[in-house]
Amino acid sequence: MPHAVRTELPGNALAAGAARGFARAALGRWGVRGTAAEDAVLLVSELVTNAVVHAGTSVEVECRYAAGVVYAEVADRHPARRVAAQGEEGHGLRLVGALAKEWGISYRRDRKAVWFQLGPAPHILGAGLGETPPDDPGSASASPAAALPAVSSVSHPFRDREWTDNGALSFLAEASDLLSGHTDEDKVASLAGQLMVPRFADWCAVWLRDDERSRRPRLARVWHAQESRIEELRAELPEEPPVPAPRVLPGQAAPWRRPGGAASSGGAASTGTDGASVVCDLVVGGRSVGALVIGRAGLLRIPDEVLGLVEDFARRVALAVLSARRYALQANISQILQRGLLPSEEMHVPGLDTALVYEPAGEGAWAGGDFYDLLRLPDGRWRFALGDVCGNGPEAAVVTGLARPVLRLLAREGHSVPETLERLNREVGEQARFLSVVYGELAFRDGLVECTLSCAGHPLPLVRDAFGTVRTAAQPQLLLGVAPRVGYESHSFSLHPGDTLLCVTDGVTERRCGRRLFDDGDGLATCFAAGAGLDADGTAEHVRRAVYAFAPDLPADDLAMLVLRVPEQTGTASDGRTGLPRQP
């Protein structure tokens, strides 16, 4: 017959003596004699002395006995005071390590406990777990003092020495790092299950409450130690997340018995849902975003140290879910904003081989600071722009949303390339932001493409001829928005059949690998030249791949490229010239 007693002692010099008398009397009533009784009394005395000296609070002592095994636990009310495992706190833990078959330390918000186990059966499945008898449905409210340990022939994973002392802290730190890296709430739920199973539980389930109040909570992810039983377990779990008892504080782990329990038919025993399980609300900022449930077969109650860890873990899961939701909302706003900032029509100049690459950094978390445009004028000329607003986020989006419409309006009003930049410079300056841009005009004449360019604080555009020779196509000028009145100049040249014009943003030229930049030593020009003979799409992809391969990490800045290539002469148009568009 198992036995258990508990007492609370004041944190003074009399506590150790009282603890010895308490333990000796209990063991005597249970018939425990000899070395086991002497060792147990000694260890209880030493641990109570440690608690009084180093914590200075009242001390709770609990003793249990079953099947020749003695279990004792000494708890104080000073959880912030960490118990050192190397004896700095006195002789107590050295004695525990020398005499006990198993021992450990558990930390919770309001208490810290050291437990040990003596006796011929070192594997007590329920030791210190505060189980209730199987026929007691009131597991959520039962007093641990009245609980009795069960006996098993297998080692309990919760008592692994790896998880005493700092093991739980290391796990939580690792979990925080892994959870914070996800931007999808369902992936967070899936990872939560994989972190819990099988280390702490046989199975885990996560419910998520959607933001829309009209929608019901959903069972987002289910994880089982045996993956073949995941769907079976999912079918057994309720659609609605379990609700802890009203007296349970938000975010506090509480015992939960699945409706029907072990009495349910079929798969309950096979999936482990008939064992001990706890539910913990995923609470952040006073609002529940879901619920986490873990279960372990063969237990009547989850250990206290695991309950505390589940509560800390659930807080991290809740924060990760909220972060993922905010990211998703932000990304959705960004996509909507981006669609309004960029041209909706197809980016193609008839008669030219055209390619465009536009990749905002950070998976679209913010509307990109880069922008592009192609505009056909009534007289058949074309204007093109590739720009980059300094910074990102809403402030940069304001300038991006300003630049493209202003460029289009001024071009339609007949302003030249330099005049257009001068007027845009004044508009940008009023926004207290800076803008770099390469802006040009294309005109088709006598089989050639006449190009007029201005480059304001932007990476210089490059031209590659049909033989693979690369040259710069403009002169550097001042960034837009720096000074209120700037006189910009343009540079004109001809593009011949086989020539390719490449314009990029600094997401290409300033791609970093350690201390090196992609464009160091004319890296962009070298890469561009190596793509001789490629069409516009091939050239854009060649440069893009080189940018990504330059460093192991993903680009940290927006990446944009505009490639315009004059096709080789392949035939004669109706006006007797090459296949370039007829000039009106």
Side-chain angles (χ1 to χ4, degrees):
M1 169 68 70
H3 306 276
V5 292
R6 173 183 295 173
T7 187
E8 185 168 349
L9 304 172
N12 57 36
L14 301 177
R20 285 193 297 270
F22 171 79
R24 186 176 293 112
L27 295 172
R29 289 197 305 271
W30 301 334
V32 181
R33 303 286 190 271
T35 303
E38 294 172 1
D39 289 348
V41 172
L42 174 62
L43 294 182
V44 167
S45 174
E46 290 293 335
L47 293 180
V48 169
T49 300
N50 270 359
V52 171
V53 171
H54 299 289
T57 69
S58 62
V59 180
E60 188 174 87
V61 180
E62 183 174 357
C63 295
R64 301 182 183 209
Y65 176 74
V69 178
V70 176
Y71 172 86
E73 181 178 289
V74 176
D76 61 63
R77 303 295 180 182
H78 198 334
R81 178 76 176 185
R82 175 181 167 270
V83 176
Q86 303 302 324
E88 299 96 324
E89 301 282 338
H91 300 286
L93 292 188
R94 283 202 291 263
L95 286 172
V96 170
L99 300 177
K101 291 184 177 294
E102 290 186 291
W103 69 281
I105 309 167
S106 64
Y107 295 83
R108 299 200 69 181
R109 284 195 294 258
D110 60 346
R111 70 196 297 266
K112 172 175 78 267
V114 181
W115 60 269
F116 67 85
Q117 183 176 301
L118 303 170
H123 305 306
I124 293 184
L125 183 62
L129 308 189
E131 298 90 344
T132 55
D135 59 348
D136 180 6
S139 59
S141 59
S143 169
L148 301 176
V151 179
S152 173
S153 61
V154 296
S155 177
H156 196 287
F158 294 150
R159 290 307 187 200
D160 193 329
R161 290 282 287 274
E162 175 189 356
W163 295 105
T164 61
D165 202 24
N166 285 332
L169 297 179
S170 299
F171 166 77
L172 291 172
E174 177 187 8
S176 295
D177 184 55
L178 292 173
L179 292 168
S180 64
H182 289 273
T183 56
D184 181 274
E185 63 180 82
D186 286 333
K187 290 182 180 178
V188 171
S190 178
L191 181 59
Q194 295 175 61
L195 286 168
M196 284 280 103
V197 177
R199 180 166 279 166
F200 297 103
D202 289 323
W203 59 271
C204 177
V206 178
W207 285 260
L208 293 178
R209 303 181 188 278
D210 293 313
D211 287 337
E212 295 82 4
R213 295 182 179 179
S214 60
R215 297 183 61 183
R216 299 170 60 187
R218 58 188 176 88
L219 182 56
R221 285 295 184 271
V222 174
W223 200 259
H224 197 285
Q226 299 182 45
E227 293 188 32
S228 61
R229 296 182 174 178
I230 291 178
E231 292 306 316
E232 182 183 356
L233 174 62
R234 178 185 291 274
E236 294 176 10
L237 293 170
E239 295 182 4
E240 296 279 351
V243 179
R247 61 183 174 277
V248 176
L249 297 175
Q252 186 177 19
W256 174 67
R257 176 164 293 184
R258 184 176 64 87
S264 63
S265 61
S270 63
T271 58
T273 52
D274 62 322
S277 56
V278 295
V279 58
C280 188
D281 263 346
L282 302 177
V283 180
V284 58
R287 181 168 59 93
S288 174
V289 298
L292 171 81
V293 175
I294 67 167
R296 192 96 199 186
L299 284 185
L300 296 176
R301 184 181 176 189
I302 302 296
D304 283 352
E305 59 266 36
V306 176
L307 289 179
L309 183 140
V310 169
E311 291 168 2
D312 286 338
F313 178 73
R315 283 192 289 272
R316 287 158 171 80
V317 173
L319 286 171
V321 168
L322 182 62
S323 177
R325 287 181 175 177
R326 287 176 174 173
Y327 180 92
L329 176 61
Q330 178 177 291
N332 185 47
I333 294 173
S334 177
Q335 292 171 3
I336 295 172
L337 182 59
Q338 199 75 69
R339 288 196 293 267
L341 297 177
L342 298 176
S344 57
E345 63 269 20
E346 183 181 359
M347 291 291 98
H348 176 67
V349 178
L352 290 183
D353 186 11
T354 309
L356 176 71
V357 173
Y358 180 78
E359 297 179 356
E363 302 180 3
W366 285 110
D370 292 2
F371 71 94
Y372 58 88
D373 197 18
L374 277 172
L375 173 66
R376 182 186 178 98
L377 299 179
D379 59 4
R381 292 174 298 151
W382 285 79
R383 290 283 178 92
F384 66 92
L386 187 66
D388 182 7
V389 178
C390 295
N392 53 31
E395 297 84 359
V398 170
V399 179
T400 303
L402 169 72
R404 192 172 65 89
V406 169
L407 288 173
R408 288 194 161 206
L409 177 62
L410 295 175
R412 289 193 176 101
E413 289 180 351
H415 294 281
S416 66
V417 169
E419 291 173 346
T420 300
L421 289 188
E422 289 169 7
R423 290 173 177 262
L424 179 60
N425 175 62
R426 291 194 290 270
E427 296 291 339
V428 172
E430 292 180 0
Q431 302 296 326
R433 305 290 290 187
F434 301 135
L435 169 66
S436 71
V437 65
V438 56
Y439 184 63
E441 180 179 279
L442 302 172
F444 297 87
R445 294 189 181 89
D446 301 325
L448 303 178
V449 179
E450 301 297 333
C451 183
T452 301
L453 273 180
S454 283
C455 186
H458 205 78
L460 296 178
L462 302 175
V463 172
R464 182 185 66 202
D465 63 23
F467 304 100
T469 303
V470 175
R471 68 179 189 276
T472 57
Q475 297 297 321
Q477 298 181 77
L478 191 63
L479 196 70
L480 296 178
V482 174
R485 295 186 178 276
V486 179
Y488 288 95
E489 298 179 354
S490 61
H491 177 66
S492 297
F493 56 92
S494 297
L495 291 174
H496 297 78
D499 288 355
T500 304
L501 174 66
L502 172 66
C503 303
V504 303
T505 60
D506 61 10
V508 173
T509 57
E510 296 182 5
R511 167 79 156 136
R512 182 176 293 277
C513 181
R515 296 184 177 182
R516 297 184 301 121
L517 300 180
F518 182 78
D519 199 32
D520 285 348
D522 294 328
L524 177 60
T526 302
C527 175
F528 188 32
L534 296 175
D535 61 9
D537 286 331
T539 297
E541 183 61 18
H542 172 72
V543 175
R544 178 186 175 277
R545 287 179 179 270
V547 171
Y548 273 83
F550 184 71
D553 54 335
L554 293 175
D557 196 3
D558 303 334
L559 187 151
M561 286 184 279
L562 178 63
V563 182
L564 301 172
R565 181 177 181 270
V566 181
E568 303 281 359
Q569 296 184 12
T570 57
T572 303
S574 59
D575 62 351
R577 300 181 296 171
T578 62
L580 298 175
R582 186 189 307 271
Q583 177 70 23

